[in-house]
Amino acid sequence: MENKKKIVLITGSTSGIGEACAYKFAAQGFSVILNGRDIRKLEALKQNLVKKYTGDVFLLPFDIRDRETARKAIRELPENWQAISILINNAGLVLGIEKEFEVNPDDWDIMIDTNIKGILSITRWVVPGMIARGEGHIINIGSIAGDAAYPGGSIYCATKSAVKALSDGLRIDLVDTPLRVTNIKPGMVETHFSLTRYRGDKEKADAVYAGVKPLTAEDIAETIYFAASAPPHVQIAEVLILPNQQATATVVHRKA
């Protein structure tokens, strides 16, 4: 795939899978649009990418839950940044391990607004341009959690089930276009994910990966790039990627 002048937009790019994607695509010669909430982290990442790869980097600092800001930011991109070829809908999170009937309703809103509505907003403002240009790839970061619920995760699992449905539905809607849609579904990946879930409790977050060699953010970025770099007639619709010691969301072999 010719990619020297292609543009990739990555949401949630300041850590974890999003950050790993930024490095991977910049290394392959892409121009990179970085989205995130923390402007300082975005600026630091941009500095590192430019220094390492001498590539083009543009910053879009906003919370994807803010629909109007997202619309305005994408609509007002400079002309030379408007032709987005790849959209990586990566921003997402999980909060807490409470039972469904015990979860703080404010946490419902954060997870649903980020994991579902955020994807909808960014997709809504980016995909029409892709259709007009006759080229584009939407890559949504789902989860194994979208395949089956597990204890203490029903709302998060519901949001990732929604990501699968949105990915499948968008693929149907775009079947008469050259655009492609991919749903990447990681299992256990050691990032800030668990630290966020446990609200900064590092001991509990580290225990999630005890006795297991989990995936890394770089592993997922490699898989995302593999899907993106397939020939134009090849659409990798869905990828479930697990560490070798994991079989399902709840079946994990932990070494002593």
Side-chain angles (χ1 to χ4, degrees):
M1 179 175 65
E2 175 60 39
N3 57 30
K4 288 298 181 183
K5 296 183 180 179
K6 290 188 179 292
I7 299 171
V8 57
L9 166 57
I10 306 166
T11 67
S13 63
T14 55
S15 65
I17 294 170
E19 182 180 15
C21 285
Y23 278 100
K24 179 64 182 180
F25 280 83
Q28 299 300 319
F30 281 78
S31 295
V32 182
I33 301 175
L34 303 174
N35 161 260
R37 294 177 295 175
D38 190 325
I39 183 61
R40 292 174 298 179
K41 289 183 179 179
L42 286 173
E43 288 173 343
L45 178 56
K46 176 179 179 178
Q47 184 177 13
N48 289 339
L49 291 174
V50 171
K51 182 178 180 181
K52 189 169 185 178
Y53 302 114
T54 63
D56 296 321
V57 181
F58 190 86
L59 303 183
L60 284 183
F62 63 83
D63 188 330
I64 65 169
R65 293 180 295 169
D66 186 337
R67 185 184 306 160
E68 179 56 27
T69 298
R71 183 189 69 82
K72 187 172 185 289
I74 293 170
R75 183 187 64 188
E76 296 180 357
L77 279 168
E79 185 175 355
N80 60 322
W81 284 98
Q82 291 180 5
I84 297 168
S85 295
I86 300 172
L87 167 61
I88 301 177
N89 279 315
N90 165 73
L93 79 167
V94 59
L95 294 170
I97 56 170
E98 295 83 8
K99 295 179 186 297
E100 185 173 318
F101 52 86
E102 296 173 340
V103 177
N104 184 332
D106 290 341
D107 290 345
W108 300 345
D109 291 338
I110 293 171
M111 286 186 276
I112 291 170
D113 289 350
T114 303
N115 300 356
I116 301 176
K117 292 182 181 179
I119 283 181
L120 282 169
S121 292
I122 304 301
T123 300
R124 173 64 181 85
W125 309 128
V126 171
V127 168
M130 290 179 167
I131 294 172
R133 292 186 296 274
E135 183 252 358
H137 193 168
I138 303 91
I139 302 176
N140 293 330
I141 308 304
S143 171
I144 190 175
D147 290 346
Y150 57 75
S154 64
I155 295 171
Y156 173 70
C157 293
T159 67
K160 289 304 183 179
S161 292
V163 172
K164 174 175 171 53
L166 292 173
S167 300
D168 292 345
L170 183 61
R171 196 177 303 111
I172 293 167
D173 291 340
L174 294 173
V175 72
D176 59 344
T177 78
L179 276 64
R180 304 184 290 185
V181 180
T182 299
N183 181 20
I184 302 289
K185 306 191 302 183
M188 296 175 70
V189 185
E190 190 167 13
T191 64
H192 290 291
F193 176 86
S194 289
L195 195 63
T196 300
R197 160 168 265 168
Y198 288 102
R199 308 180 196 279
D201 189 324
K202 190 173 186 306
E203 185 176 351
K204 289 183 179 179
D206 289 345
V208 172
Y209 311 107
V212 178
K213 184 175 182 180
L215 301 170
T216 66
E218 289 73 23
D219 293 328
I220 308 305
E222 288 288 343
T223 303
I224 291 168
Y225 184 75
F226 173 79
S229 60
H233 71 288
V234 176
Q235 180 172 216
I236 298 176
E238 189 170 281
V239 179
L240 174 64
I241 175 170
L242 307 173
N244 195 44
Q245 292 170 252
Q246 182 178 23
T248 70
T250 56
V251 177
V252 178
H253 173 65
R254 299 182 185 275
K255 298 179 179 178

